[in-house]
Amino acid sequence: MITRLSVASVYVTDYDEAIEFFTEKLGFAVRSNLTLENGQRWVTVYPTASPEFQLSMTVPGAPLHDEETATAIRSLLAKGALSAGAWSTPDCKATFKEYSARGVEFLQEPQERPYGVEAVFRDPFGNWYSLNETNDKAFDAEAMKEAFGGN
């Protein structure tokens, strides 16, 4: 039985720039920053409020990808076509102000949604993330079906 998500991955184009963004702009901490025997670098960060979770960063290329695949991934990053997930916050508007002051690029300011308040930001590599302050209806399937007109 799976009990929780412990590691998620995101593509970046520069490990050091990624570490700087996640630690200095978002307030994350570094869990791992290693170069493995095969030359692959293992870099993970985590939000300090959730130390049991790790966000793994991967630069497209060898030894994980052939050049054609790496080029395709870099192209999708450059287009901003990759969503890298949703982060939770207890106060979306306050976090939006805090991150904006640190220079985080927001694609959407906080907006009221049926499930709470949502803003959307982008990392320096093109990945976009939702920033969600969920309400009591967010995990109620019937409430979400009613709000979005689903079947």
Side-chain angles (χ1 to χ4, degrees):
M1 167 176 41
I2 295 173
T3 58
R4 64 183 171 89
L5 179 64
S6 57
V7 180
S9 298
V10 63
Y11 289 111
V12 299
T13 56
D14 182 284
Y15 287 114
D16 295 321
E17 186 179 356
I19 290 170
E20 181 180 329
F21 174 77
F22 281 95
T23 60
E24 294 182 18
K25 306 279 185 184
L26 303 186
F28 284 34
V30 175
R31 167 76 39 81
S32 301
N33 186 0
L34 310 167
T35 300
L36 308 178
E37 290 180 11
N38 65 359
Q40 179 185 354
R41 199 161 158 191
W42 175 247
V43 177
T44 67
V45 295
Y46 63 96
T48 56
S50 295
E52 70 284 353
F53 175 77
Q54 297 182 77
L55 181 65
S56 169
M57 296 178 233
T58 301
V59 171
L64 299 175
H65 308 106
D66 59 46
E67 189 49 40
E68 181 181 350
T69 302
T71 298
I73 294 169
R74 286 190 295 267
S75 176
L76 290 171
L77 279 171
K79 290 180 179 179
L82 300 178
S83 168
W87 298 109
S88 295
T89 179
D91 187 333
C92 186
K93 292 175 183 170
T95 304
F96 166 78
K97 287 180 185 175
E98 177 185 351
Y99 286 179
S100 292
R102 293 180 187 172
V104 174
E105 176 191 3
F106 275 84
L107 304 174
Q108 173 193 293
E109 293 187 8
Q111 303 288 316
E112 297 292 330
R113 302 284 187 227
Y115 46 83
V117 181
E118 178 187 47
V120 178
F121 67 93
R122 184 185 307 273
D123 70 21
F125 313 101
N127 299 298
W128 60 272
Y129 307 81
S130 283
L131 178 64
N132 294 317
E133 173 190 340
T134 54
N135 61 24
D136 60 343
K137 295 179 183 173
F139 301 102
D140 180 334
E142 289 301 316
M144 290 299 98
K145 186 179 355 177
E146 183 177 319
F148 289 103
N151 298 321

